[in-house]
Amino acid sequence: MARLKSRVTSFDVAKLAGVSQPAVSRAFTPGASITKEKRDRILAAAKELNYVPNVFASSLSSKRSNMVAVISGNLNNPFYSETLQVFVESIQRTHRQVLAFSVQDGRDSDDVMMQAMRYPIDGLVVTSAQMSSELVKLSEGLGIPVVMFNRRVVGSELSGVQCDNFEGSAVLGRLMAAAGARRILIVRGDPQGSTSIDRVQGFRSAVDGVAGVEIEEVDGESSYSGARNAMIRRFNGPGPRFPDAIFAVNDIMAIGCADALNENFGLKIPDDIMLAGFDGIREGQRAPYSLTTVRQPVERMVAETLELLKAAPEDLKGAEAQRRVIPGDLIPGHTVPGMGRWAR
Amino acid sequence: MARLKSRVTSFDVAKLAGVSQPAVSRAFTPGASITKEKRDRILAAAKELNYVPNVFASSLSSKRSNMVAVISGNLNNPFYSETLQVFVESIQRTHRQVLAFSVQDGRDSDDVMMQAMRYPIDGLVVTSAQMSSELVKLSEGLGIPVVMFNRRVVGSELSGVQCDNFEGSAVLGRLMAAAGARRILIVRGDPQGSTSIDRVQGFRSAVDGVAGVEIEEVDGESSYSGARNAMIRRFNGPGPRFPDAIFAVNDIMAIGCADALNENFGLKIPDDIMLAGFDGIREGQRAPYSLTTVRQPVERMVAETLELLKAAPEDLKGAEAQRRVIPGDLIPGHTVPGMGRWAR
DNA sequence: TTGTACGCGTTATCAA
DNA sequence: TTGATAACGCGTACAA
């Protein structure tokens, strides 16, 4: 733990510039009352001494810390690393800083969130992780607004922004059913995660009533390798019968499925099996996959999240909880036959 | 700018627990001298009041802030978002926090770094961005250790960790030449970036002497679409002659090339054109590409970066600058024909 | 082990 | 517009 070298302080600058210490503070505060001449002199002295105001000290005194903590889970899923990127860029654009945390899948996230709350942050964004009721209480006590990103909290009523996972998946379900899917395999993600649950339910709601539809579910562990391995396990047995459609609840799993089907079983998509995912990650949109999927409008979701963060903590929970559900965008892609098949 | 709600302080906890304020501080400091009984009583009071120590205040007083700033450029390149992830996880593992910044390609990075230095951070990691000599001076004045990640700084002597870009690319050059490459197209990245420059030079050093070799260079803008578009522009003209090998200085561009060649020109890799990249990103390793490339050992590079950060700032610049050059690992892949061709 | 007194570097307050 | 002074919330001496 490096002890910080004692910094040049505003007092040092004040002495060199021949002014009082608060004057230095004003020189660095946009819109403060100070003559331009004096400010220039102070800034010159500051530059000479390599002085910049210490955010910690100023935050302590001003009771504002332009810091937002972002807790990301499952950064191996490109959707979440793309999302983190958008958060960083958006938050930075508003002259605030990002304190970044990651929670390994299945690891205790309470510990990490506790760390985050020791900072006097303006807000806390939680993606893809649960939050215990104890922590909800703590965040409240600390007056820190919390918004869940893409995660419906079971039990406690917290504010959050999410894509319309149910309806988006239902659209994919209808699309696949219309394209002739009857024997359908659903690749689940985290069985506890609301995202996976909602998508499975949404999809089923669209195909359950269709005549002749049989559905099977397997676990894909929310990851490329998880889905890939699930395919191999499932179809390597004696006399495997392939479904005619696969719905993976996220794109990275869909990609894992596609690779396994192609490489291990020589199947062509969509000729032999149709495939759909969810998220709209860049990788899935590229030529080798051209995945049929529903894109989560990340930019907008992030913007709404940051918007919610402005509210008082009391207005973000319980009965006041704000739930923003943003519709996703269907990306037709090439992995589900489209109207072309109907035209035949 | 949300004004932070005034927090519960150690004084409040002290009063409730019937002890002095420093006792509260000790209760939260591992290894401090305090009886277990008293500590328990204090922690109970703290929990009741939703108290957690304020990092800013404690840092101000203790002169240590377990915060490391990471400035990332070009997060659209999966290599850098994978790297950021490794930084976050590694730093978090040592009970420190990450202050994350991003610098858009070509944007002024000085401004962002200046923001970072207003924090009393333990260190600053800069990936894929330049640092002006003014900022170097400032970081020195502030006593903040700076380490460049994967970037050789032209002009100023700063410490840094990088992959052996020259030698790694030379290995790829030799591999391609041995596989029969003669008409070679090099897809450059950022023309100013040391990474791209070193890789181009390393590659050329290996093939320049080979009889019959012709080399052409084009700009791929360090991105998927940049490289993809470069292919289309280059080969769409009348009577395009395709090279027999393409070396893209990073994987994401190699993937862009592969997609364009396949989709727009119907070329098969490696049968019609062989292809190599650099970085070893996950996406490039997957079945549709199986890219021949050199993997940057990110985990090790990050570890060495954090190691360097422990040094005093004076020992990280000028004559004392530490340069750690880590060898990359050749991943044979399937996009350059291997010894199989020799065996024929 | 415990408490008192002080300092960390800044902004806020208020009188000049 | 300015400067003196008091917070901000916590660690750290030091004395008890």
Side-chain angles (χ1 to χ4, degrees):
Chain A
M1 304 297 130
R3 228 174 235 83
L4 262 37
K5 174 178 160 182
S6 66
R7 285 168 91 110
V8 173
T9 75
S10 51
F11 281 95
D12 302 323
V13 176
K15 195 190 301 176
L16 179 61
V19 297
S20 72
Q21 177 270 328
V24 177
S25 173
R26 293 188 182 108
F28 279 91
T29 306
S33 44
I34 185 175
T35 56
K36 180 180 180 341
E37 181 190 41
K38 180 169 282 191
R39 158 174 278 140
D40 290 344
R41 188 151 41 98
I42 293 173
L43 292 183
K47 174 161 278 182
E48 186 176 334
L49 297 178
N50 286 320
Y51 168 82
V52 285
N54 181 334
V55 176
F56 280 17
S58 84
S59 158
L60 197 57
S61 160
S62 69
K63 292 175 147 327
R64 59 174 95 259
S65 84
N66 301 310
M67 270 185 22
V68 176
V70 178
I71 299 186
S72 311
N74 205 5
L75 280 175
N76 285 314
N77 181 343
F79 174 74
Y80 286 108
S81 57
E82 287 176 19
T83 297
L84 174 58
Q85 174 185 354
V86 176
F87 268 113
V88 170
E89 285 165 2
S90 303
I91 291 172
Q92 201 169 295
R93 215 175 291 131
T94 59
H95 303 287
R96 290 178 299 178
Q97 265 55 62
V98 176
L99 201 56
F101 297 84
S102 96
V103 177
Q104 310 276 15
D105 248 10
R107 298 288 299 249
D108 183 35
S109 53
D110 274 27
D111 196 49
V112 171
M113 296 196 205
M114 186 79 102
Q115 283 303 317
M117 300 220 220
R118 292 172 75 130
Y119 288 79
I121 47 181
D122 283 357
L124 176 61
V125 176
V126 180
T127 80
S128 182
Q130 285 290 356
M131 195 166 180
S132 72
S133 52
E134 279 217 357
L135 274 176
V136 174
K137 176 163 163 283
L138 178 59
S139 72
E140 222 179 316
L142 293 173
I144 298 178
V146 175
V147 176
M148 310 297 288
F149 183 89
N150 214 23
R151 178 65 68 148
R152 182 165 49 74
V153 177
V154 189
S156 73
E157 286 304 332
L158 274 179
S159 286
V161 173
Q162 64 186 103
C163 186
D164 192 340
N165 292 310
F166 187 95
E167 179 55 25
S169 303
V171 166
L172 291 171
R174 288 194 284 273
L175 191 72
M176 286 183 133
R182 289 302 175 268
R183 302 195 60 249
I184 301 175
L185 179 63
I186 296 179
V187 183
R188 287 188 299 244
D190 174 6
Q192 323 288 342
S194 67
T195 313
S196 175
I197 293 172
D198 292 351
R199 291 179 187 173
V200 169
Q201 288 186 352
F203 186 89
R204 295 193 78 125
S205 78
V207 298
D208 266 345
V210 177
V213 162
E214 292 170 44
I215 297 181
E216 177 186 348
E217 296 187 15
V218 296
D219 278 319
E221 297 166 34
S222 264
S223 69
Y224 174 86
S225 56
R228 192 186 168 103
N229 293 336
M231 291 300 101
I232 295 172
R233 269 198 313 274
R234 170 64 182 75
F235 299 126
N236 250 352
R241 284 182 63 213
F242 291 104
D244 41 38
I246 295 179
F247 171 56
V249 302
N250 67 36
D251 283 356
I252 192 63
M253 288 199 299
I255 288 175
C257 293
D259 284 357
L261 295 174
N262 272 311
E263 215 191 6
N264 297 68
F265 304 101
L267 297 178
K268 295 271 174 258
I269 295 170
D271 307 313
D272 300 321
I273 294 191
M274 59 182 97
L275 174 69
F278 202 114
D279 282 346
I281 63 177
R282 290 191 283 256
E283 187 171 352
Q285 292 314 301
R286 294 187 183 140
Y289 302 107
S290 288
L291 198 57
T292 296
T293 189
V294 168
R295 195 182 81 86
Q296 299 202 58
V298 178
E299 301 273 354
R300 183 171 160 211
M301 290 167 66
V302 166
E304 301 245 10
T305 301
L306 298 180
E307 191 63 36
L308 278 186
L309 236 35
K310 293 178 183 166
E314 310 85 77
D315 300 337
L316 289 175
K317 50 146 291 196
E320 315 298 325
Q322 308 273 330
R323 303 234 110 261
R324 307 225 176 148
V325 179
I326 320 272
D329 311 313
L330 175 67
I331 302 182
H334 296 157
T335 58
V336 172
M339 291 307 131
R341 180 168 289 199
W342 285 95
R344 281 183 215 155
Chain B
M1 303 299 130
R3 227 175 237 80
L4 265 35
K5 173 178 160 185
S6 66
R7 284 169 89 108
V8 173
T9 74
S10 51
F11 281 96
D12 302 323
V13 176
K15 195 189 300 176
L16 178 60
V19 297
S20 70
Q21 174 267 326
V24 177
S25 174
R26 293 182 184 114
F28 279 91
T29 305
S33 44
I34 185 174
T35 56
K36 180 179 180 343
E37 179 189 42
K38 181 168 284 189
R39 158 172 280 139
D40 290 343
R41 186 151 41 98
I42 293 174
L43 292 183
K47 174 161 279 181
E48 186 176 334
L49 296 178
N50 286 321
Y51 168 83
V52 285
N54 181 332
V55 176
F56 279 18
S58 81
S59 158
L60 199 57
S61 135
S62 69
K63 292 178 144 330
R64 55 174 95 257
S65 84
N66 301 311
M67 273 188 18
V68 175
V70 177
I71 300 186
S72 310
N74 204 6
L75 279 175
N76 285 315
N77 181 344
F79 174 74
Y80 286 108
S81 57
E82 288 178 17
T83 297
L84 175 57
Q85 174 186 355
V86 175
F87 268 114
V88 171
E89 286 166 0
S90 303
I91 291 172
Q92 202 169 294
R93 213 174 294 130
T94 59
H95 305 284
R96 291 178 298 177
Q97 265 55 62
V98 176
L99 201 56
F101 298 84
S102 94
V103 177
Q104 309 275 16
D105 250 10
R107 298 289 298 251
D108 184 35
S109 54
D110 275 28
D111 197 50
V112 171
M113 295 196 204
M114 186 79 103
Q115 283 303 318
M117 302 223 226
R118 292 174 75 131
Y119 288 79
I121 46 181
D122 283 357
L124 176 61
V125 175
V126 180
T127 79
S128 183
Q130 285 290 356
M131 194 166 180
S132 73
S133 52
E134 279 216 358
L135 274 177
V136 174
K137 177 163 162 284
L138 177 59
S139 70
E140 224 179 315
L142 293 173
I144 298 178
V146 176
V147 176
M148 310 297 287
F149 183 89
N150 215 21
R151 177 66 66 148
R152 181 165 49 74
V153 178
V154 190
S156 73
E157 287 303 332
L158 274 180
S159 286
V161 173
Q162 63 185 104
C163 186
D164 192 341
N165 292 309
F166 187 96
E167 180 55 25
S169 303
V171 166
L172 291 170
R174 287 193 285 272
L175 191 73
M176 286 182 132
R182 290 301 176 267
R183 301 195 60 249
I184 300 174
L185 180 63
I186 296 179
V187 183
R188 287 188 299 244
D190 173 7
Q192 322 288 341
S194 67
T195 313
S196 176
I197 293 173
D198 292 351
R199 291 177 186 175
V200 170
Q201 288 186 352
F203 187 89
R204 295 194 77 127
S205 78
V207 298
D208 266 344
V210 177
V213 163
E214 293 170 44
I215 297 180
E216 178 186 348
E217 296 186 15
V218 296
D219 277 320
E221 297 165 34
S222 266
S223 69
Y224 174 86
S225 56
R228 194 187 165 103
N229 292 336
M231 292 300 101
I232 294 172
R233 269 198 314 275
R234 171 64 183 73
F235 299 126
N236 251 352
R241 284 182 64 212
F242 292 104
D244 40 38
I246 295 180
F247 171 55
V249 303
N250 67 36
D251 283 356
I252 192 63
M253 289 199 298
I255 287 175
C257 293
D259 284 356
L261 295 174
N262 272 311
E263 214 190 8
N264 297 69
F265 304 102
L267 298 178
K268 295 270 174 258
I269 296 170
D271 306 315
D272 300 321
I273 294 191
M274 59 183 98
L275 174 68
F278 201 116
D279 283 345
I281 64 177
R282 290 190 283 254
E283 187 171 352
Q285 292 315 300
R286 292 185 186 142
Y289 301 107
S290 288
L291 197 57
T292 297
T293 189
V294 168
R295 195 182 82 86
Q296 298 203 57
V298 179
E299 301 274 354
R300 183 171 160 210
M301 289 167 67
V302 166
E304 300 244 9
T305 302
L306 298 181
E307 190 64 34
L308 278 186
L309 236 36
K310 293 179 183 167
E314 312 86 79
D315 300 336
L316 289 174
K317 50 145 292 202
E320 315 299 325
Q322 307 275 329
R323 305 233 109 261
R324 305 225 177 149
V325 179
I326 320 272
D329 310 315
L330 174 67
I331 302 183
H334 296 156
T335 60
V336 172
M339 291 307 133
R341 181 168 288 199
W342 286 94
R344 283 181 213 154

